[in-house]
Amino acid sequence: ILNVEQSPQSLHVQEGDSTNFTCSFPSSNFYALHWYRWETAKSPEALFVMTLNGDEKKKGRISATLNTKEGYSYLYIKGSQPEDSATYLCAFLGSSNTGKLIFGQGTTLQVKP
Amino acid sequence: DVKVTQSSRYLVKRTGEKVFLECVQDMDHENMFWYRQDPGLGLRLIYFSYDVKMKEKGDIPEGYSVSREKKERFSLILESASTNQTSMYLCASVVFSGNSPLHFGNGTRLTVT
């Protein structure tokens, strides 16, 4: 059974703080790693799809890194804002999974003004 | 923009009822998915479909069935609803390649009493 773990499960920070969280996934048979942001009362939206070891992606104040050899990805948020409050999900796609993304349990971020 | 529409935002059903959750996407995506989300468990795959009339079981298919008679529509059926099926249900679609992110609907919060 493939396991995708995210830590921490929840996080409370002050506005302006920078934060990061982790996604751990199997280091073998890697195809892609997805990050999604899920705000309350909205649908999850894609942040990044990462496929190459060492990949770094950035979208505004949010960036992500990928290490496929050791099986982890970090998501960083610089200068957190209240609108960053959401649940952040990562999902692993293995080369043999033919489309079945395996999701982590998510990290819920609360940014206090 | 891709639009994935789920027929109901909130639904309350009684134990033993047959329940239909509908999902429609407007971008001619081949692949469609049904997930449920429960606190601390992330998104778990119930069923997915790669083409019309084609379906495959996900990780937790027990108590559910699906129907895909047309490419744009993927229905999740609870044959006899039970209280342990109270959950948030999310539909998603994608033009599959591992580099493509999923597009999600807004979710259906189902309560079975």
Side-chain angles (χ1 to χ4, degrees):
Chain A
I1 296 176
L2 297 175
N3 212 26
V4 178
E5 297 284 341
Q6 290 186 248
S7 62
Q9 193 167 358
S10 65
L11 201 52
H12 295 257
V13 302
Q14 290 293 134
E15 182 175 354
D17 287 351
S18 293
T19 187
N20 66 85
F21 15 97
T22 306
C23 173
S24 301
F25 53 85
S27 55
S28 58
N29 298 317
F30 175 87
Y31 191 94
L33 194 282
H34 294 216
W35 280 101
Y36 294 86
R37 175 169 60 199
W38 191 5
E39 296 176 68
T40 304
K42 294 185 179 179
S43 53
E45 61 169 358
L47 289 171
F48 307 113
V49 177
M50 308 176 82
T51 56
L52 298 174
N53 184 44
D55 217 0
E56 291 189 29
K57 298 223 174 188
K58 190 173 180 182
K59 187 175 182 178
R61 292 179 291 99
I62 303 177
S63 60
T65 61
L66 179 68
N67 183 323
T68 61
K69 294 187 189 307
E70 296 183 39
Y72 65 84
S73 176
Y74 294 137
L75 190 79
Y76 300 92
I77 302 178
K78 185 177 178 182
S80 303
Q81 300 296 309
E83 57 265 30
D84 296 327
S85 298
T87 295
Y88 291 83
L89 296 165
C90 71
F92 167 81
L93 181 65
S95 54
S96 58
N97 281 357
T98 59
K100 283 177 61 175
L101 280 169
I102 308 296
F103 280 85
Q105 71 273 47
T107 292
T108 299
L109 174 67
Q110 189 72 37
V111 182
K112 298 177 185 176
Chain B
D1 256 3
V2 176
K3 191 159 181 159
V4 180
T5 303
Q6 294 183 229
S7 52
S8 304
R9 187 83 176 100
Y10 298 96
L11 213 49
V12 179
K13 295 291 180 180
R14 292 189 182 275
T15 301
E17 279 194 76
K18 191 169 186 175
V19 181
F20 293 86
L21 303 183
E22 305 287 347
C23 175
V24 178
Q25 50 93 3
D26 65 358
M27 283 300 291
D28 206 36
H29 286 170
E30 289 83 8
N31 304 311
M32 298 187 74
F33 304 82
W34 275 106
Y35 292 91
R36 65 178 278 179
Q37 195 263 343
D38 300 289
L41 294 178
L43 293 180
R44 292 181 294 165
L45 182 63
I46 305 171
Y47 267 97
F48 60 105
S49 169
Y50 289 141
D51 204 348
V52 175
K53 295 193 188 294
M54 180 276 174
K55 60 187 178 185
E56 284 199 29
K57 293 180 180 179
D59 299 318
I60 50 164
E62 296 80 17
Y64 303 95
S65 62
V66 290
S67 171
R68 194 160 180 205
E69 296 296 318
K70 294 185 178 181
K71 193 174 186 180
E72 66 269 19
R73 185 180 296 270
F74 191 35
S75 304
L76 181 70
I77 304 156
L78 286 66
E79 296 290 344
S80 176
S82 64
T83 54
N84 63 12
Q85 292 178 310
T86 292
S87 187
M88 168 68 85
Y89 290 87
L90 281 169
C91 174
S93 73
V94 69
V95 172
F96 192 71
S97 74
N99 297 341
S100 300
L102 296 181
H103 297 268
F104 285 91
N106 275 349
T108 297
R109 171 75 65 185
L110 172 68
T111 302
V112 182
T113 61

